[in-house]
Structure formats: structure tokens, C-alpha cells
């Protein structure tokens, strides 16, 4: 699954366009490397997102095309 779509489906970022912009600005790292929005994400990857002064690090547990709001938190785990 594309990185920008995963960020939206998992609700880490609310909109796919915002996820695209974050990737283009270099604020999203996958496994320690700056990632483009089109990069594939799979279970076991570590994603780091920089929100201003705050940094969020998560590990991908599962990849799904769609999910309910309540189940979105089961797709990743905070590190």
C-alpha cells in the first residue's frame, strides 16, 4: 500500500493530501529514510512523522485498504 494512503487509513494523518504534503516536505521517515508518498508500506516497517516540534514513531502491524475508526488503532503501535 502507498505510504500516503496508509497514513490516511490508519488515521495518523486525517487527509491524504496532507499526508502527501508531509512526505514532499521530508517530514515522514520510513525505516530511518526520508520517504516519498508513493513508497510501499508493509507490516514491520517503522514510520516516523514530524509534527512541528513533536515526533511520532509507530510500527506498522497490519495493512488494510479500509478500516473503521475504532479499528484504525490496531493497524500500528507506538514506539
Amino acid at each position: 500500500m502507498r505510504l500516503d494512503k496508509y497514513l490516511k487509513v490508519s488515521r495518523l494523518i486525517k487527509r491524504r493530501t496532507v499526508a502527501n504534503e508531509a512526505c514532499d516536505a521530508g517530514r515522514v521517515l520510513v525505516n530511518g529514510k526520508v520517504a516519498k508518498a508513493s513508497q510501499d508500506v508493509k507490516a514491520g516497517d517503522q514510520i516516523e512523522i514530524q509534527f512541528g516540534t513533536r515526533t511520532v514513531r509507530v510500527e506498522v502491524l497490519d495493512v488494510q485498504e479500509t478500516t473503521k475508526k475504532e479499528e484504525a488503532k490496531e493497524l500500528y503501535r507506538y514506539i
Side-chain angles (χ1 to χ4, degrees), residues 10-26:
S10 65
R11 313 266 196 309
L12 287 167
I13 296 180
K14 286 190 177 185
R15 294 185 187 89
R16 192 165 174 179
T17 54
V18 176
N20 257 316
E21 292 167 2
C23 292
D24 291 343

Side-chain angles (χ1 to χ4, degrees), residues 1 7-8 10 12 16 22 24-25 32 34 37 40 51-52 54 59-60 63-65 71:
M1 175 183 284
L7 293 173
K8 180 198 173 289
S10 65
L12 287 167
R16 192 165 174 179
D24 291 343
V34 176
D40 282 337
F51 295 105
R54 204 175 102 216
E59 179 182 353
V60 178
V63 177
Q64 295 180 4
E65 289 295 317
E71 298 168 358

Side-chain angles (χ1 to χ4, degrees), residues 27-46:
R27 295 191 316 241
V28 180
L29 306 170
V30 176
N31 297 326
K33 297 178 185 170
V34 176
K36 293 185 178 181
S38 61
Q39 180 171 337
D40 282 337
V41 176
K42 58 189 179 309
D45 286 347
Q46 292 186 2

